Amino acid sequence: MTATEMTLVGPVRLELPPIGGMSRVARLAASGLASLAGFTLDEIDDIKIAVSEVMIALVEHGAASTLELEFRLSDSDFTVVGSTYIPDFDPDHPDLWLCRTVLESVCDGHRIAVDRGTATISASVSRVS
Amino acid sequence: MTGSLNDDSIIIEIGDDGVLRVHGDIDMASGPALESAIVGHRVRDADADAPSVETVEQTAAAGLDLDPPHVVVDLADVSFIDSSGLRGLLSAAQHVHRQGAALVLRQVGPEVSRLLEITSTAGQFVIESRRD
């Protein structure tokens, strides 16, 4: 099977310790996957920022020993979904203002949800063409 | 599993000209190190014969009249920054401002320019030059 014949299946999941250095690991994984899926360099730049912003929110506010990242591919989108345990998570916390501002600008959609102490943040970057 | 983590995602060099040259990504891991480097860095004056001072605080304490005092950060080798890294730069800029000085960004690339534009924070810095 050649690279052009390869069908990407997903999702791709990472379980990471909640430390800042893991942001680079997550970006590398996401950019590699996005490149494999044929996203453009500009789109990959956006994906790297989206992944980093999701990591910031989860690492800086999370209270668990691990966090989970999931990369979902479709014909039109790359979506990163991150989740971790954050017992008193406030999506409107002032510290998240820059993070949310960047997500709103770079992503075609993003969502922050909290359910029984687990915060889930998703962000999608669409293909231009 | 445990293990030590050597995070070398950023290198900060201080040249003979006093300019802080940053190599690498400015993110959640490296932002605090960059902020500390800027805060602890000596203020530069356009006058090469200006009295030597070691830190922003010492400059202010000595009452030196530097025109304009500044800390220069060269971002020629920075191709990624996120909001956490930007927060570090903003915090450093506020510290430098409180000492009556300016934080000057040199060779600002498109990635940094874009984040400054998105967050409307470019005005917190003196942008000396940009690159493609």
Side-chain angles (χ1 to χ4, degrees):
Chain A
M1 181 185 292
T2 67
T4 52
E5 293 171 329
M6 186 169 55
T7 300
L8 285 168
V9 293
V12 173
R13 295 191 182 92
L14 299 176
E15 187 175 286
L16 300 167
I19 56 177
M22 288 298 119
S23 179
R24 186 162 52 126
V25 173
R27 291 198 301 273
L28 283 169
S31 60
L33 184 61
S35 174
L36 207 58
F39 282 81
T40 67
L41 291 176
D42 284 345
E43 291 161 355
I44 291 172
D45 281 345
D46 288 349
I47 289 167
K48 286 166 60 181
I49 293 175
V51 169
S52 213
E53 297 303 328
V54 169
M55 286 290 291
I56 289 166
L58 296 179
V59 170
E60 292 186 350
H61 295 264
S65 59
T66 61
L67 60 86
E68 294 175 5
L69 277 190
E70 187 171 292
F71 302 139
R72 299 174 184 167
L73 284 166
S74 73
D75 289 341
S76 58
D77 301 304
F78 185 109
T79 300
V80 52
V81 181
S83 62
T84 195
Y85 177 65
I86 309 179
D88 53 354
F89 185 57
D90 175 11
D92 297 319
H93 193 287
D95 283 354
L96 286 172
W97 177 83
L98 272 179
C99 184
R100 298 192 70 149
T101 300
V102 173
L103 282 175
E104 281 169 15
S105 179
V106 167
C107 298
D108 297 286
H110 78 279
R111 183 168 179 268
I112 300 178
V114 185
D115 182 22
R116 283 170 286 186
T118 296
T120 301
I121 305 174
S122 61
S124 296
V125 174
S126 299
R127 293 182 198 268
V128 172
S129 56
Chain B
M1 187 181 76
T2 61
S4 62
L5 191 66
N6 178 23
D7 186 357
D8 56 354
S9 62
I10 192 170
I11 297 171
I12 305 165
E13 295 178 333
I14 303 175
D16 292 338
D17 54 2
V19 175
L20 285 158
R21 291 183 172 81
V22 184
H23 309 268
D25 295 352
I26 306 177
D27 62 7
M28 187 169 27
S30 61
L34 178 58
E35 179 184 349
S36 295
I38 294 170
V39 167
H41 190 55
R42 61 176 285 187
V43 171
R44 303 293 298 182
D45 182 50
D47 179 0
D49 296 326
S52 175
V53 290
E54 292 304 317
T55 67
V56 175
E57 290 89 342
Q58 288 172 0
T59 302
L64 300 177
D65 184 20
L66 303 181
D67 183 29
H70 54 267
V71 176
V72 181
V73 179
D74 190 320
L75 301 175
D77 201 20
V78 172
S79 59
F80 181 85
I81 184 171
D82 62 20
S83 70
S84 183
L86 177 60
R87 255 192 291 147
L89 274 179
L90 287 168
S91 179
Q94 288 169 359
H95 177 89
V96 172
H97 288 165
R98 282 195 295 272
Q99 311 303 324
L103 183 56
V104 178
L105 301 183
R106 177 180 291 176
Q107 299 244 52
V108 176
E111 300 85 2
V112 177
S113 286
R114 185 181 182 206
L115 206 70
L116 294 177
E117 183 183 333
I118 287 171
T119 56
S120 304
T121 53
Q124 301 301 309
F125 310 97
V126 175
I127 310 293
E128 183 185 279
S129 59
R130 296 180 191 267
R131 60 180 168 80
D132 293 331

